[in-house]
Amino acid sequence: MASEEPTVRFGDVSHSTFAVGSHAQAVSHHQNAGGARPDEETEALLKAVRELRADLERVNGTDQTAALGAALADTEAEITGTGQATPTRRERLRELLADAQSLTAVLASAGALAGLLGI
C-alpha cells in the first residue's frame, strides 16, 4: 500500500526568500524591486542596522531588545525594499534606542546607529 505524498510546486521564485523546516530561517538581502539605490547616508544606516541586529542576537533578550530587534528588521526591510527609511521609521528607532541607553553604552553597534540617527 503506497502512501500519498503531498505535492509541492513552486512557481517563479526570483527575488524570493523562503525557508523550510521547523527551525529554518531566511534572510534576504535582495536589491529592491524598484531599483532605487540607497544614498550613502542610508547605506550607512542599513549597515548599522544590520550590525546591531547581529549584536542583539548575542545578548540576553528582553521585551526592550525584542521591540528594538523588530524595529530594526522592519527598517532593514524598508530600506532594501524602497531604498530609503522613512522619517517615521527613523524616529521609532530613535525612541527605542533612547529607551535602551544601557545598550548604547555596551554595544558599539548601538552607539554607531544612535550617532547616525542624531542621538
Side-chain angles (χ1 to χ4, degrees):
M1 181 171 172
S3 66
E4 291 271 332
E5 291 292 324
T7 302
V8 177
R9 291 192 170 99
F10 294 97
D12 179 14
V13 294
S14 60
H15 305 293
S16 299
T17 303
F18 54 91
V20 179
S22 63
H23 293 87
Q25 291 183 333
V27 177
S28 175
H29 298 287
H30 295 291
Q31 172 66 25
N32 61 67
R37 299 241 352 125
D39 59 25
E40 283 187 36
E41 179 184 321
T42 305
E43 282 284 351
L45 179 65
L46 178 59
K47 181 181 178 198
V49 163
R50 286 177 173 161
E51 287 175 2
L52 181 52
R53 283 187 72 196
D55 284 348
L56 284 180
E57 294 291 323
R58 295 187 272 286
V59 299
N60 290 329
T62 64
D63 290 342
Q64 191 176 42
T65 59
L68 180 56
L72 291 168
D74 291 345
T75 302
E76 182 176 350
E78 184 174 62
I79 293 171
T80 59
T82 67
Q84 62 181 334
T86 62
T88 304
R89 180 84 57 206
R90 291 171 186 248
E91 183 57 36
R92 177 69 178 138
L93 285 177
R94 280 186 200 98
E95 291 170 4
L96 290 168
L97 284 169
D99 290 345
Q101 290 288 333
S102 60
L103 276 179
T104 58
V106 174
L107 297 175
S109 59
L113 181 57
L116 287 169
L117 293 170
I119 298 177

